[in-house]
Amino acid sequence: MPKRSPIAARKPRLVFCTARPARYAAVLNVLRQTFAITVIPNDPSAAKTFETHPDCIVIENQLVGGDGMWLAQQANALRAGGRQSLIMVAPKMTLPIGRLIEERVIDAAITGSPETGEFLNSFWRAYGTVSEDETLSALSKPAGQVMQSGRQLFTQLEDMTATGGIDLEGRKLVASAAASVVDLAGDPSVAPMLHQLRGHHDSTFAHSLRVGILMASFGRAIGVGDDQLRLMAETGLLHDLGKMRVPLSILAKPGSLTEAERQEMSLHPVYGAQLVNEGYRDLPDLIAAVRHHHEKLDGTGYPDGQTRGQIHEMSLCTAVVDVFSALTDRRDYKEPMERDQAFAIMDTMAGPHLEPRLYRRFRELVLDTRLADEPQVRAAR
C-alpha cells in the first residue's frame, strides 16, 4: 500500500453553506479527500456553525430564501483575526461581491458552473494554495520562480479555456513558465520539489507542472538543444490542458467510468489541441503531443488510434512522462504509487504502449538521478 502523504492525512474543517448540495455533489466528493465537511443551509441559522471556527467557510450567495451576503458579514465578524478562509460562490461577479473582496470581508469569489474543473481549480487558488506554494518556493530560487510563473500561467489558462484558446499573451506566460522549469531542471532542488508536488492538493496544476519539469529533465538527459528543451517544457505544461473542459464529475469520479464518461474523457486531448491550435501553429510538434500523448504503438490508444510510425516523437516522450507522473501523483481518487511499483507497471507497457527506447532512457534518468526518491525534507502542508 503506498504511503499516505502528509497532505492527504490532513483534515481541516470546511463548512459549505448551500440549500442545493446536490448541485455541488462532484465538488464535495473531491473536497472530502482533504476536508472534514459539514454542509448546512444558506440561512441565518448557519451563523451558529461559524462560531466553531472552521478552517474554511464556503457560502453560496444567490439562493431562494438565503442571504449569502449577510452570512459572509457574520462569518467575517467571527473570524476575529483568525486564519479561516472565507469564500463566496456566485453565478457571476457583481459589484456588491467585489466590494466584499475589496473590504476583505471575504477572501475570494468563485463564479461559474460547479460541473467543471475550473470551479475546483478556483477553489484551490482561494484556499490553502498560498501556504503550500510558499513551502515549495522556499526550496530554492529556481523553485520559487517556477511556482510564481506556474501559478500565474494556470490562473490565466483557466480564463482562456473558458473563452476560447491560448492567445499571444497566454503564449508569453507559457514561455516564461517553461523557462523557469528549464532552469529548475538543472538545480539540486528539482528532486524534493517533484516529490512535494505529487501531494499538492491542486492536482491539475501539480500534475502539469511535474510533467513539465520531468520533460525538461528528460530533454537534458538525452542532450537536446536549448530550443527543443524549452519546447519539451512547454509541451509538458500544456499536455492536459483539455481536461479543463471535462466535467469535474468525470475527472474526480472515485469509481469506474461509464462508457459515456470514458468517451468524454477520451476527448480531452482533442479539446487540448483545439485550445493550442491557434496560438501554436508554428509549433506542430507541441500540438501533436497535446493531441496524441495517449496514443499507443499498437493502435489501441486515443483519440485517433495512431500506430508505431505515425506517432510523433514528442508525443512518445510526453506519453512516457505522463504515465510515470500519473502513477506517482496523488489524485483525488487514489494515493501516489512508489517509483519502483510504477516502473514495474510501465515495464509491461513498453512495446505495446510506450516506445521502448525512450522509456528505457527515461527510466535510467529517474534511477540515476534519484528524481523520484523521497527527499529528506519536510513535506509541504
mmCIF file of all heavy atoms in Angstrom, residues 284-315:
data_model
loop_
_atom_site.group_PDB
_atom_site.id
_atom_site.type_symbol
_atom_site.label_atom_id
_atom_site.label_comp_id
_atom_site.label_asym_id
_atom_site.label_seq_id
_atom_site.Cartn_x
_atom_site.Cartn_y
_atom_site.Cartn_z
ATOM 1 N N PRO A 284 4.049 22.617 -34.617
ATOM 2 C CA PRO A 284 3.184 21.444 -34.809
ATOM 3 C C PRO A 284 3.545 20.282 -33.873
ATOM 4 O O PRO A 284 2.687 19.462 -33.548
ATOM 5 C CB PRO A 284 3.403 21.063 -36.273
ATOM 6 C CG PRO A 284 4.724 21.677 -36.637
ATOM 7 C CD PRO A 284 4.811 22.935 -35.843
ATOM 8 N N ASP A 285 4.821 20.209 -33.438
ATOM 9 C CA ASP A 285 5.210 19.137 -32.521
ATOM 10 C C ASP A 285 4.446 19.247 -31.202
ATOM 11 O O ASP A 285 4.020 18.234 -30.622
ATOM 12 C CB ASP A 285 6.712 19.197 -32.222
ATOM 13 C CG ASP A 285 7.564 18.892 -33.445
ATOM 14 O OD1 ASP A 285 6.992 18.681 -34.530
ATOM 15 O OD2 ASP A 285 8.801 18.869 -33.312
ATOM 16 N N LEU A 286 4.282 20.478 -30.709
ATOM 17 C CA LEU A 286 3.548 20.693 -29.457
ATOM 18 C C LEU A 286 2.083 20.324 -29.631
ATOM 19 O O LEU A 286 1.509 19.624 -28.786
ATOM 20 C CB LEU A 286 3.710 22.148 -29.008
ATOM 21 C CG LEU A 286 3.062 22.529 -27.670
ATOM 22 C CD1 LEU A 286 3.885 23.615 -26.977
ATOM 23 C CD2 LEU A 286 1.625 23.019 -27.853
ATOM 24 N N ILE A 287 1.473 20.791 -30.726
ATOM 25 C CA ILE A 287 0.058 20.480 -30.968
ATOM 26 C C ILE A 287 -0.135 18.967 -31.069
ATOM 27 O O ILE A 287 -1.082 18.404 -30.510
ATOM 28 C CB ILE A 287 -0.438 21.171 -32.252
ATOM 29 C CG1 ILE A 287 -0.346 22.699 -32.104
ATOM 30 C CG2 ILE A 287 -1.884 20.765 -32.559
ATOM 31 C CD1 ILE A 287 -0.678 23.460 -33.379
ATOM 32 N N ALA A 288 0.793 18.296 -31.762
ATOM 33 C CA ALA A 288 0.694 16.843 -31.919
ATOM 34 C C ALA A 288 0.776 16.132 -30.577
ATOM 35 O O ALA A 288 0.024 15.189 -30.306
ATOM 36 C CB ALA A 288 1.807 16.341 -32.842
ATOM 37 N N ALA A 289 1.676 16.597 -29.695
ATOM 38 C CA ALA A 289 1.834 15.944 -28.399
ATOM 39 C C ALA A 289 0.620 16.148 -27.515
ATOM 40 O O ALA A 289 0.208 15.244 -26.781
ATOM 41 C CB ALA A 289 3.090 16.457 -27.704
ATOM 42 N N VAL A 290 0.025 17.339 -27.562
ATOM 43 C CA VAL A 290 -1.187 17.596 -26.778
ATOM 44 C C VAL A 290 -2.308 16.670 -27.247
ATOM 45 O O VAL A 290 -3.057 16.120 -26.436
ATOM 46 C CB VAL A 290 -1.607 19.074 -26.898
ATOM 47 C CG1 VAL A 290 -2.981 19.303 -26.269
ATOM 48 C CG2 VAL A 290 -0.570 19.973 -26.222
ATOM 49 N N ARG A 291 -2.408 16.441 -28.551
ATOM 50 C CA ARG A 291 -3.481 15.600 -29.093
ATOM 51 C C ARG A 291 -3.173 14.109 -28.970
ATOM 52 O O ARG A 291 -4.091 13.293 -28.772
ATOM 53 C CB ARG A 291 -3.721 15.946 -30.562
ATOM 54 C CG ARG A 291 -4.885 15.160 -31.172
ATOM 55 C CD ARG A 291 -5.139 15.533 -32.619
ATOM 56 N NE ARG A 291 -6.246 14.746 -33.154
ATOM 57 C CZ ARG A 291 -7.511 15.134 -33.220
ATOM 58 N NH1 ARG A 291 -7.857 16.334 -32.783
ATOM 59 N NH2 ARG A 291 -8.457 14.349 -33.716
ATOM 60 N N HIS A 292 -1.909 13.726 -29.051
ATOM 61 C CA HIS A 292 -1.580 12.308 -29.226
ATOM 62 C C HIS A 292 -0.794 11.681 -28.068
ATOM 63 O O HIS A 292 -0.239 10.584 -28.242
ATOM 64 C CB HIS A 292 -0.797 12.112 -30.530
ATOM 65 C CG HIS A 292 -1.586 12.460 -31.750
ATOM 66 N ND1 HIS A 292 -1.069 13.192 -32.807
ATOM 67 C CD2 HIS A 292 -2.882 12.187 -32.079
ATOM 68 C CE1 HIS A 292 -2.009 13.351 -33.732
ATOM 69 N NE2 HIS A 292 -3.107 12.751 -33.327
ATOM 70 N N HIS A 293 -0.756 12.302 -26.894
ATOM 71 C CA HIS A 293 0.047 11.712 -25.815
ATOM 72 C C HIS A 293 -0.619 10.486 -25.193
ATOM 73 O O HIS A 293 -0.014 9.822 -24.351
ATOM 74 C CB HIS A 293 0.374 12.761 -24.734
ATOM 75 C CG HIS A 293 -0.809 13.294 -23.994
ATOM 76 N ND1 HIS A 293 -1.610 14.302 -24.488
ATOM 77 C CD2 HIS A 293 -1.326 12.973 -22.775
ATOM 78 C CE1 HIS A 293 -2.558 14.582 -23.619
ATOM 79 N NE2 HIS A 293 -2.415 13.780 -22.560
ATOM 80 N N HIS A 294 -1.854 10.167 -25.612
ATOM 81 C CA HIS A 294 -2.498 8.925 -25.168
ATOM 82 C C HIS A 294 -2.585 7.878 -26.280
ATOM 83 O O HIS A 294 -3.260 6.859 -26.119
ATOM 84 C CB HIS A 294 -3.899 9.207 -24.622
ATOM 85 C CG HIS A 294 -3.900 9.792 -23.250
ATOM 86 N ND1 HIS A 294 -3.509 9.081 -22.135
ATOM 87 C CD2 HIS A 294 -4.222 11.040 -22.809
ATOM 88 C CE1 HIS A 294 -3.608 9.860 -21.063
ATOM 89 N NE2 HIS A 294 -4.023 11.051 -21.445
ATOM 90 N N GLU A 295 -1.905 8.102 -27.386
ATOM 91 C CA GLU A 295 -1.839 7.088 -28.433
ATOM 92 C C GLU A 295 -0.892 5.973 -27.994
ATOM 93 O O GLU A 295 0.008 6.182 -27.174
ATOM 94 C CB GLU A 295 -1.341 7.696 -29.746
ATOM 95 C CG GLU A 295 -2.213 8.818 -30.301
ATOM 96 C CD GLU A 295 -3.545 8.342 -30.860
ATOM 97 O OE1 GLU A 295 -3.785 7.108 -30.859
ATOM 98 O OE2 GLU A 295 -4.333 9.193 -31.309
ATOM 99 N N LYS A 296 -1.102 4.764 -28.542
ATOM 100 C CA LYS A 296 -0.267 3.610 -28.199
ATOM 101 C C LYS A 296 0.324 3.017 -29.471
ATOM 102 O O LYS A 296 -0.294 3.065 -30.538
ATOM 103 C CB LYS A 296 -1.095 2.555 -27.461
ATOM 104 C CG LYS A 296 -1.720 3.063 -26.168
ATOM 105 C CD LYS A 296 -2.542 1.968 -25.495
ATOM 106 C CE LYS A 296 -3.196 2.488 -24.219
ATOM 107 N NZ LYS A 296 -4.005 1.437 -23.528
ATOM 108 N N LEU A 297 1.508 2.436 -29.340
ATOM 109 C CA LEU A 297 2.190 1.903 -30.510
ATOM 110 C C LEU A 297 1.380 0.828 -31.224
ATOM 111 O O LEU A 297 1.484 0.657 -32.429
ATOM 112 C CB LEU A 297 3.554 1.323 -30.106
ATOM 113 C CG LEU A 297 4.573 2.321 -29.528
ATOM 114 C CD1 LEU A 297 5.882 1.601 -29.218
ATOM 115 C CD2 LEU A 297 4.818 3.475 -30.481
ATOM 116 N N ASP A 298 0.545 0.099 -30.462
ATOM 117 C CA ASP A 298 -0.236 -0.982 -31.089
ATOM 118 C C ASP A 298 -1.563 -0.491 -31.661
ATOM 119 O O ASP A 298 -2.379 -1.299 -32.130
ATOM 120 C CB ASP A 298 -0.478 -2.119 -30.100
ATOM 121 C CG ASP A 298 -1.298 -1.682 -28.877
ATOM 122 O OD1 ASP A 298 -1.774 -0.527 -28.850
ATOM 123 O OD2 ASP A 298 -1.464 -2.506 -27.960
ATOM 124 N N GLY A 299 -1.810 0.817 -31.615
ATOM 125 C CA GLY A 299 -3.010 1.376 -32.230
ATOM 126 C C GLY A 299 -4.250 1.380 -31.364
ATOM 127 O O GLY A 299 -5.328 1.741 -31.830
ATOM 128 N N THR A 300 -4.122 0.994 -30.103
ATOM 129 C CA THR A 300 -5.299 0.918 -29.220
ATOM 130 C C THR A 300 -5.495 2.186 -28.388
ATOM 131 O O THR A 300 -6.365 2.226 -27.526
ATOM 132 C CB THR A 300 -5.186 -0.291 -28.266
ATOM 133 O OG1 THR A 300 -4.017 -0.136 -27.437
ATOM 134 C CG2 THR A 300 -5.105 -1.592 -29.047
ATOM 135 N N GLY A 301 -4.680 3.210 -28.627
ATOM 136 C CA GLY A 301 -4.815 4.455 -27.869
ATOM 137 C C GLY A 301 -5.869 5.372 -28.446
ATOM 138 O O GLY A 301 -6.640 4.995 -29.331
ATOM 139 N N TYR A 302 -5.916 6.590 -27.937
ATOM 140 C CA TYR A 302 -6.912 7.572 -28.391
ATOM 141 C C TYR A 302 -6.270 8.947 -28.494
ATOM 142 O O TYR A 302 -5.204 9.173 -27.940
ATOM 143 C CB TYR A 302 -8.116 7.589 -27.430
ATOM 144 C CG TYR A 302 -7.816 7.988 -25.990
ATOM 145 C CD1 TYR A 302 -7.823 9.332 -25.594
ATOM 146 C CD2 TYR A 302 -7.526 7.031 -25.018
ATOM 147 C CE1 TYR A 302 -7.558 9.696 -24.285
ATOM 148 C CE2 TYR A 302 -7.265 7.386 -23.708
ATOM 149 C CZ TYR A 302 -7.279 8.719 -23.347
ATOM 150 O OH TYR A 302 -7.016 9.089 -22.036
ATOM 151 N N PRO A 303 -6.844 9.865 -29.272
ATOM 152 C CA PRO A 303 -8.189 9.818 -29.875
ATOM 153 C C PRO A 303 -8.225 9.279 -31.307
ATOM 154 O O PRO A 303 -9.291 9.031 -31.843
ATOM 155 C CB PRO A 303 -8.595 11.298 -29.873
ATOM 156 C CG PRO A 303 -7.304 12.032 -30.083
ATOM 157 C CD PRO A 303 -6.263 11.230 -29.330
ATOM 158 N N ASP A 304 -7.054 9.091 -31.953
ATOM 159 C CA ASP A 304 -7.042 8.771 -33.384
ATOM 160 C C ASP A 304 -6.577 7.356 -33.708
ATOM 161 O O ASP A 304 -6.533 6.987 -34.878
ATOM 162 C CB ASP A 304 -6.145 9.781 -34.126
ATOM 163 C CG ASP A 304 -6.643 11.203 -33.985
ATOM 164 O OD1 ASP A 304 -7.871 11.400 -34.063
ATOM 165 O OD2 ASP A 304 -5.818 12.115 -33.776
ATOM 166 N N GLY A 305 -6.231 6.558 -32.700
ATOM 167 C CA GLY A 305 -5.796 5.192 -32.962
ATOM 168 C C GLY A 305 -4.534 5.099 -33.787
ATOM 169 O O GLY A 305 -4.372 4.177 -34.596
ATOM 170 N N GLN A 306 -3.613 6.040 -33.616
ATOM 171 C CA GLN A 306 -2.360 6.001 -34.358
ATOM 172 C C GLN A 306 -1.513 4.807 -33.925
ATOM 173 O O GLN A 306 -1.636 4.316 -32.800
ATOM 174 C CB GLN A 306 -1.575 7.302 -34.149
ATOM 175 C CG GLN A 306 -2.204 8.514 -34.806
ATOM 176 C CD GLN A 306 -1.285 9.735 -34.754
ATOM 177 O OE1 GLN A 306 -0.418 9.848 -33.892
ATOM 178 N NE2 GLN A 306 -1.476 10.657 -35.680
ATOM 179 N N THR A 307 -0.637 4.375 -34.818
ATOM 180 C CA THR A 307 0.228 3.243 -34.541
ATOM 181 C C THR A 307 1.694 3.648 -34.682
ATOM 182 O O THR A 307 2.008 4.784 -35.073
ATOM 183 C CB THR A 307 -0.064 2.080 -35.505
ATOM 184 O OG1 THR A 307 0.150 2.529 -36.856
ATOM 185 C CG2 THR A 307 -1.495 1.611 -35.370
ATOM 186 N N ARG A 308 2.587 2.701 -34.355
ATOM 187 C CA ARG A 308 4.030 2.915 -34.494
ATOM 188 C C ARG A 308 4.344 3.474 -35.893
ATOM 189 O O ARG A 308 3.848 2.994 -36.899
ATOM 190 C CB ARG A 308 4.764 1.591 -34.292
ATOM 191 C CG ARG A 308 6.285 1.704 -34.279
ATOM 192 C CD ARG A 308 6.904 0.311 -34.296
ATOM 193 N NE ARG A 308 6.454 -0.478 -33.157
ATOM 194 C CZ ARG A 308 7.090 -0.526 -31.990
ATOM 195 N NH1 ARG A 308 8.185 0.189 -31.803
ATOM 196 N NH2 ARG A 308 6.627 -1.295 -31.017
ATOM 197 N N GLY A 309 5.145 4.502 -35.948
ATOM 198 C CA GLY A 309 5.476 5.125 -37.224
ATOM 199 C C GLY A 309 4.609 6.323 -37.528
ATOM 200 O O GLY A 309 4.989 7.188 -38.337
ATOM 201 N N GLN A 310 3.419 6.397 -36.925
ATOM 202 C CA GLN A 310 2.539 7.547 -37.123
ATOM 203 C C GLN A 310 2.644 8.565 -35.984
ATOM 204 O O GLN A 310 2.342 9.730 -36.171
ATOM 205 C CB GLN A 310 1.080 7.075 -37.226
ATOM 206 C CG GLN A 310 0.779 6.191 -38.424
ATOM 207 C CD GLN A 310 -0.671 5.730 -38.416
ATOM 208 O OE1 GLN A 310 -1.159 5.190 -37.423
ATOM 209 N NE2 GLN A 310 -1.366 5.951 -39.527
ATOM 210 N N ILE A 311 3.064 8.102 -34.823
ATOM 211 C CA ILE A 311 3.081 8.955 -33.637
ATOM 212 C C ILE A 311 4.389 9.736 -33.586
ATOM 213 O O ILE A 311 5.479 9.154 -33.653
ATOM 214 C CB ILE A 311 2.930 8.115 -32.345
ATOM 215 C CG1 ILE A 311 1.734 7.174 -32.457
ATOM 216 C CG2 ILE A 311 2.780 9.024 -31.138
ATOM 217 C CD1 ILE A 311 1.623 6.183 -31.312
ATOM 218 N N HIS A 312 4.283 11.056 -33.473
ATOM 219 C CA HIS A 312 5.458 11.921 -33.442
ATOM 220 C C HIS A 312 6.286 11.665 -32.187
ATOM 221 O O HIS A 312 5.759 11.322 -31.128
ATOM 222 C CB HIS A 312 5.008 13.388 -33.481
ATOM 223 C CG HIS A 312 6.120 14.337 -33.763
ATOM 224 N ND1 HIS A 312 6.995 14.756 -32.788
ATOM 225 C CD2 HIS A 312 6.506 14.954 -34.910
ATOM 226 C CE1 HIS A 312 7.881 15.592 -33.310
ATOM 227 N NE2 HIS A 312 7.599 15.725 -34.598
ATOM 228 N N GLU A 313 7.598 11.844 -32.281
ATOM 229 C CA GLU A 313 8.483 11.556 -31.151
ATOM 230 C C GLU A 313 8.164 12.413 -29.932
ATOM 231 O O GLU A 313 8.296 11.950 -28.798
ATOM 232 C CB GLU A 313 9.957 11.729 -31.535
ATOM 233 C CG GLU A 313 10.897 11.387 -30.402
ATOM 234 C CD GLU A 313 12.217 10.785 -30.860
ATOM 235 O OE1 GLU A 313 12.234 10.129 -31.911
ATOM 236 O OE2 GLU A 313 13.217 10.980 -30.154
ATOM 237 N N MET A 314 7.747 13.665 -30.124
ATOM 238 C CA MET A 314 7.382 14.498 -28.974
ATOM 239 C C MET A 314 6.180 13.896 -28.249
ATOM 240 O O MET A 314 6.111 13.920 -27.010
ATOM 241 C CB MET A 314 7.054 15.923 -29.420
ATOM 242 C CG MET A 314 6.726 16.878 -28.267
ATOM 243 S SD MET A 314 8.143 17.207 -27.200
ATOM 244 C CE MET A 314 9.037 18.375 -28.225
ATOM 245 N N SER A 315 5.260 13.332 -28.997
ATOM 246 C CA SER A 315 4.107 12.659 -28.389
ATOM 247 C C SER A 315 4.555 11.433 -27.611
ATOM 248 O O SER A 315 4.042 11.156 -26.519
ATOM 249 C CB SER A 315 3.094 12.255 -29.458
ATOM 250 O OG SER A 315 2.707 13.356 -30.244
#
